Amino acid sequence: MRRCAGPLLRLAGRRALPLRHGVAAAFPASFSSSSDGSGGSRAPDTSLFVPVPLKPVGDAAEEDVGAELTRPLDKAEVLKNLNKFYKRKEIQRLGTENGLDARLFHQAFISFRKYIMESSSVSADLHIILNDICCGAGHVDDLFPFFLRHAKQIFPMLDCMDDLRKISDLRLPPNWYPEARAIQRKIIFHAGPTNSGKTYHAIQRFLSAKSGIYCGPLKLLAHEIFQKSNAANVPCDLVTGEERVYANEDARQASHIACTIEMCSTNTPYEVAVIDEIQMIRDPARGWAWTRALLGLSAEEIHVCGEAAAIDLVTELMYTTGEEVEVRNYERLTPLTVLNYALESLDNLQPGDCIVCFSKNDIYSVSRQVEARGLECAVIYGSLPPGTKLEQAKKFNDPDDPCKILVATDAIGMGLNLCIKRIIFNSIVKPTINEKGEKEIDLITTSQALQIAGRAGRYGSSFKQGEVTTMHRDDLVQLKEILSEPVRPVKAAGLHPTAEQIEMFAYHLPDATLSNLIDIFVSLSQVDGLYFVCNIDDFKFLADMIQHIPLNLRSRYVFCTAPLNRKEPFVCTTLLKFARQFSRNEPLTFDWLCRHTKWPLAPPKNIKELVHLEAVHDVFDLYLWLSYRFMDMFPDAALVRNIQKKLDDIIQIGVCNITKLIRASQSSAASGAAEVVSEDFPLSRTKRDSRMFSDHRGAKSTEPLSVALEVPGESRVRSLKAYRSSMRQEDLKSHGRGSLANRLLREGLLTQEMLRQLESEWQDQHRNGRYGFASKRDDQSSSKETGKKKK
């Protein structure tokens, strides 16, 4: 005879409630996926909820109380009733009301069923309910309280969703900075194009103040202000992520500081603060740093410098803080002319010309072609160390140096004073990263075009006016249209979750990984129309990479914010080794670093070695960056800085001989990267042939270049009407003959065998006086005649 379950349940203080009879209200919905919450909160992305593993109960030493009170469970009958429970619409509705959407409901049920079926025993109350159901004395709906309890064990965020929402509520960023809100700040916006003197006027106020801070986007800019201030007898410290330089010999903090914007202090009071390049507040990766500085700097006067496109956003942001914005507009100090003709050939280069490319491969190709014409050129691109960039700029600016041509990426847009007469765009499309972290190939924006073009004819240089044009004729019309368009207004400011916010999340979700915590944070975050959450892909990449290493959360967070390029395997591997040794509490010494990087290093013999030296320089930067956050674990910063300066000199030697390195790389058959191509061997060039198209995962397109832009899901191109129409026409001019072949080889669109066959066929046609499409038609007609003869 079945024993009565009632007394036990009453003793346990629990009672199975028959949900089928309308008492669902006894289980209040702690979270609803359709709930607006307070202030219109959105439903979370539940695909980010990772279930916590819950192991079934094994052979217990204690007796099975439930079996003693009733009888052992018939697992086959239990399984049948569990499946009935799952299919009940009423149960699914209740699950939804308690935060279990279809995905979570299914995952929770699978776990619940596995737990019951694989456990040797379950809790007495659950055992009794299951026994009642199997005997027909209960209903499957009575399992819901136990199911919900299990669901909240494997998805702990269901129990604390309201708390998580409050932590990730980013709708009032001004309130994060009480020191700044405690004073009435004066906001002055210096608006104008490049070379208008806007930053100069802000810096003059900075120098005349009793105390001040300059916040810039680059180490080069911070270093420039640091030097100018001390040269003007205004003691100024330099603070970057990797370096601290004190103006006072006794290392006392000076009243003025020049820093990279991420390093500014929001707790220190100043008389004047200067925030440079404010339009970068919209940057998908770094915009949060400008937002933090603008809202949080505790200064009596905030001087903001940048494009007029940011005026409206800054004014709106300051309205939320109760502060007014005074706008001072500036005009360009020297004229800038867009020429009516393209360069078309490197034979038309003149002293003071700067060719702007948007890829390192184009830098290599163009610099080699320039020097093949007997012209010496300087080279500047983003991954070069700051010291090398300055030396190349000095070489180009020196009137007594024979180097009169500059080949550069858009890295010249900020931070370098250059005596450029004419800017020549080698291309007007550029790889970009959108707000979702996806790679796109896109026309340069009006803002980017003006920033780069504005470097020509700098005020105070030997050139009284600037000129801008393109390398290729059909790009010029589009460039003129881009430059004539108004700059798109800056619509929103970036935000980023802080270490404190993530720590509070981790308190509620102790079993979640850091990458998962960030994902859930962004999923639940609420921002108003003036803000957006910055892209966190780089952070998540590093979080996943070091997840298996035992670190406390704060240290893990710091490692994940390290400034490195995740496309550099050597640097990423080094960070992994740093983290692993750090977790073992073993200091990262100078000797260890030298062994890891194989220091000392020789000057590069080819491009591959030059790229590796740049990566080693980044590793030294990474060590220095970590040394200011974990001084005891990275103790040899001074020694590392010394060898980094020596490495800078070695890289400068390589860059000065870059043409020789390119030639050595191309002649190296072992590398397999390229093959020496005859200079008189032309290949058709389209507008797209010099770009590599890839999707946001970095996978190279295997389609022909002529259709790469038309493949759905690959690279989306936002363009002007003129650009769209011209993309359909093939430009058969053979610019950069060898370089195109080498790019096609690297991208896997040509094989060595195909290249040799093409060259052989072209040479045969050349000897017979036949070219291009006419040759193709002749071949087709001759083959038809041959076929007729055979018939």
Side-chain angles (χ1 to χ4, degrees):
M1 188 176 80
R2 185 175 61 87
R3 295 173 182 168
C4 178
L8 177 68
L9 290 176
R10 284 195 295 272
L11 287 171
R14 303 177 65 93
R15 185 170 179 84
L17 298 176
L19 304 182
R20 61 193 184 280
H21 298 312
V23 291
F27 301 96
S30 59
F31 162 72
S32 171
S33 60
S34 60
S35 169
D36 289 334
S38 57
S41 60
R42 59 180 178 177
D45 181 359
T46 55
S47 65
L48 302 174
F49 293 2
V50 179
V52 177
L54 200 61
K55 292 181 180 180
V57 178
D59 294 331
E62 299 179 6
E63 293 183 8
D64 186 346
V65 177
E68 282 290 317
L69 291 172
T70 57
R71 65 180 179 181
L73 293 174
D74 180 351
K75 290 295 180 82
E77 194 67 26
V78 168
L79 179 60
K80 191 187 301 183
N81 284 291
L82 285 173
N83 290 335
K84 284 182 185 177
F85 170 82
Y86 175 70
K87 293 174 183 176
R88 290 269 297 159
K89 297 295 183 185
E90 175 74 7
I91 294 298
Q92 294 174 11
R93 183 182 65 76
L94 281 172
T96 300
E97 290 176 1
N98 285 272
L100 295 170
D101 63 7
R103 181 197 302 271
L104 296 185
F105 183 84
H106 177 73
Q107 286 183 284
F109 173 75
I110 295 298
S111 175
F112 182 58
R113 184 177 64 185
K114 181 180 179 182
Y115 177 81
I116 291 175
M117 298 303 295
E118 295 183 6
S119 292
S120 60
S121 64
V122 295
S123 62
D125 50 357
L126 176 56
H127 184 110
I128 293 169
I129 291 296
L130 287 169
N131 188 68
D132 283 353
I133 293 170
C134 291
C135 294
H139 195 279
V140 289
D141 286 4
D142 298 342
L143 286 172
F144 185 77
F146 303 96
F147 168 71
L148 185 61
R149 182 174 65 187
H150 183 92
K152 289 183 176 182
Q153 283 180 295
I154 66 169
F155 294 116
M157 60 284 296
L158 296 175
D159 249 350
C160 55
M161 194 58 68
D162 288 341
D163 291 332
L164 296 181
R165 285 193 184 282
K166 288 175 184 175
I167 297 167
S168 58
D169 190 340
L170 307 179
R171 287 175 295 182
L172 293 171
N175 294 351
W176 303 348
Y177 308 103
E179 291 90 348
R181 300 293 77 79
I183 62 175
Q184 188 63 30
R185 306 181 306 170
K186 181 179 181 181
I187 314 296
I188 302 165
F189 196 125
H190 300 265
T194 304
N195 200 18
S196 61
K198 58 185 183 296
T199 307
Y200 169 81
H201 287 89
I203 293 301
Q204 292 305 112
R205 179 67 187 95
F206 167 81
L207 294 174
S208 65
K210 295 177 181 177
S211 63
I213 182 170
Y214 167 85
C215 308
L218 300 172
K219 286 185 278 189
L220 286 173
L221 286 169
H223 197 270
E224 180 184 347
I225 302 303
F226 164 74
Q227 289 183 323
K228 282 183 177 179
S229 296
N230 287 295
N233 293 320
V234 177
C236 180
D237 295 341
L238 175 66
V239 178
T240 70
E242 301 80 20
E243 190 174 17
R244 305 285 192 284
V245 180
Y246 295 99
N248 300 313
E249 293 182 0
D250 57 359
R252 282 184 299 107
Q253 184 171 314
S255 57
H256 288 67
I257 291 175
C259 67
T260 46
I261 194 156
E262 287 85 354
M263 300 303 297
C264 70
S265 168
T266 57
N267 300 319
T268 308
Y270 301 99
E271 182 182 350
V272 169
V274 177
I275 304 174
D276 208 357
E277 304 295 352
I278 187 62
Q279 70 276 2
M280 289 190 70
I281 200 168
R282 67 179 165 201
D283 186 83
R286 298 178 64 201
W288 62 270
W290 276 263
T291 305
R292 175 175 171 271
L294 181 63
L295 297 177
L297 282 173
S298 185
E300 297 170 25
E301 290 181 26
I302 307 283
H303 290 258
V304 178
C305 307
E307 295 176 0
I311 292 176
D312 288 347
L313 177 64
V314 170
T315 303
E316 285 190 67
L317 292 175
M318 294 301 97
Y319 177 79
T320 65
T321 66
E323 295 161 333
E324 294 184 358
V325 178
E326 175 189 338
V327 179
R328 299 178 185 175
N329 290 296
Y330 299 82
E331 299 296 328
R332 185 178 165 88
L333 297 173
T334 56
L336 179 66
T337 304
V338 183
L339 301 178
N340 291 320
Y341 55 88
L343 190 71
E344 298 197 90
S345 170
L346 295 177
D347 294 328
N348 299 325
L349 286 172
Q350 301 171 2
D353 279 350
C354 171
I355 305 171
V356 177
C357 307
F358 293 113
S359 79
K360 204 184 282 188
N361 284 337
D362 285 349
I363 289 280
Y364 297 152
S365 172
V366 172
S367 59
R368 182 183 177 186
Q369 293 177 60
V370 168
E371 296 206 0
R373 287 163 170 77
L375 302 172
E376 193 171 337
C377 70
V379 174
I380 296 174
Y381 51 86
S383 59
L384 285 177
T388 303
K389 289 178 187 172
L390 289 171
E391 283 301 315
Q392 289 291 298
K394 182 180 177 182
K395 177 182 177 183
F396 174 72
N397 290 338
D398 187 353
D400 298 324
D401 196 290
C403 173
K404 301 299 178 189
I405 307 295
L406 175 62
V407 181
T409 63
D410 54 344
I412 63 164
M414 292 180 193
L416 293 167
N417 292 319
L418 297 162
C419 296
I420 298 171
K421 178 184 179 183
R422 180 170 62 173
I423 289 283
I424 302 157
F425 285 90
N426 186 59
S427 164
I428 57 169
V429 295
K430 177 186 177 182
T432 59
I433 303 294
N434 66 17
E435 291 82 357
K436 297 180 180 178
E438 300 167 339
K439 182 181 285 186
E440 296 180 343
I441 304 295
D442 208 346
L443 278 172
I444 57 174
T445 64
T446 300
S447 175
Q448 291 167 335
L450 289 170
Q451 185 83 22
I452 297 166
R455 309 308 287 177
R458 185 174 66 89
Y459 181 75
S461 71
S462 54
F463 302 112
K464 302 303 179 187
Q465 69 174 25
E467 298 172 345
V468 59
T469 186
T470 58
M471 177 67 73
H472 310 300
R473 187 187 307 166
D474 48 358
D475 284 345
L476 185 56
V477 175
Q478 297 159 45
L479 179 64
K480 286 183 176 180
E481 193 171 343
I482 291 170
L483 290 171
S484 66
E485 288 192 338
V487 178
R488 285 179 298 166
V490 181
K491 296 288 189 182
L495 297 173
H496 192 282
T498 64
E500 291 76 16
Q501 289 168 326
I502 298 303
E503 280 180 337
M504 285 191 284
F505 249 56
Y507 173 78
H508 291 288
L509 306 174
D511 295 307
T513 66
L514 179 55
S515 178
N516 191 227
L517 286 173
I518 287 283
D519 272 336
I520 296 173
F521 185 97
V522 173
S523 171
L524 293 176
S525 63
Q526 300 173 72
V527 295
D528 66 22
L530 296 177
Y531 301 97
F532 67 94
V533 179
C534 285
N535 183 273
I536 53 169
D537 281 356
D538 287 346
F539 184 98
K540 285 176 55 188
F541 171 82
L542 296 180
D544 289 334
M545 187 176 73
I546 65 172
Q547 179 56 42
H548 65 286
I549 299 174
L551 296 169
N552 64 59
L553 184 65
R554 181 59 72 113
S555 298
R556 190 180 299 278
Y557 183 94
V558 171
F559 271 94
C560 293
T561 56
L564 58 78
N565 184 353
R566 61 174 172 168
K567 294 179 182 177
E568 294 180 351
F570 182 70
V571 183
C572 292
T573 302
T574 303
L575 179 71
L576 193 61
K577 291 183 177 181
F578 282 171
R580 189 174 290 125
Q581 189 147 336
F582 180 94
S583 71
R584 296 195 295 257
N585 205 30
E586 298 174 5
L588 281 298
T589 63
F590 176 74
D591 291 338
W592 183 95
L593 189 64
C594 289
R595 286 195 303 273
H596 174 67
T597 57
K598 295 181 171 56
W599 181 265
L601 296 164
K605 298 182 180 64
N606 52 48
I607 289 296
K608 185 178 179 182
E609 291 184 7
L610 176 61
V611 171
H612 177 69
L613 291 181
E614 293 169 5
V616 174
H617 193 280
D618 288 346
V619 165
F620 292 165
D621 260 349
L622 179 61
Y623 183 98
L624 294 172
W625 189 88
L626 289 166
S627 73
Y628 284 109
R629 288 145 183 88
F630 307 110
M631 294 183 183
D632 54 337
M633 297 301 291
F634 296 84
D636 296 329
L639 295 172
V640 173
R641 186 167 288 108
N642 288 336
I643 62 172
Q644 189 181 43
K645 290 176 182 176
K646 294 177 182 177
L647 178 59
D648 208 330
D649 294 337
I650 295 171
I651 293 174
Q652 286 176 38
I653 294 171
V655 173
C656 289
N657 297 314
I658 195 164
T659 303
K660 294 178 184 176
L661 302 188
I662 297 167
R663 199 176 295 121
S665 298
Q666 292 181 329
S667 62
S668 175
S671 69
E675 182 176 279
V676 177
V677 180
S678 170
E679 286 299 323
D680 64 349
F681 171 43
L683 288 174
S684 297
R685 171 190 177 275
T686 70
K687 287 180 66 57
R688 289 153 287 178
D689 61 18
S690 63
R691 291 92 184 173
M692 180 179 72
F693 299 97
S694 60
D695 63 15
H696 66 277
R697 294 176 299 276
K700 296 176 184 176
S701 172
T702 57
E703 296 296 319
L705 284 178
S706 58
V707 297
L709 284 179
E710 301 165 7
V711 179
E714 292 290 317
S715 301
R716 299 194 303 273
V717 175
R718 181 179 68 255
S719 58
L720 304 169
K721 290 181 181 178
Y723 182 66
R724 287 172 177 153
S725 61
S726 63
M727 290 297 279
R728 300 188 187 100
Q729 302 174 354
E730 290 192 342
D731 177 9
L732 298 177
K733 298 172 188 173
S734 54
H735 296 292
R737 298 173 178 177
S739 61
L740 171 57
N742 293 332
R743 278 194 293 271
L744 292 174
L745 283 166
R746 279 192 296 272
E747 295 166 21
L749 300 171
L750 271 182
T751 64
Q752 304 281 6
E753 185 60 34
M754 290 167 63
L755 185 61
R756 282 191 287 271
Q757 186 177 347
L758 284 169
E759 186 167 10
S760 175
E761 288 177 5
W762 184 85
Q763 288 173 347
D764 290 339
Q765 292 169 0
H766 186 275
R767 282 193 292 270
N768 295 331
R770 298 184 301 175
Y771 300 93
F773 295 116
S775 165
K776 183 177 178 181
R777 287 194 294 269
D778 290 346
D779 288 345
Q780 290 172 342
S781 60
S782 64
S783 64
K784 287 179 181 177
E785 290 176 8
T786 305
K788 288 178 182 177
K789 288 178 183 177
K790 286 181 181 178
K791 289 179 181 177

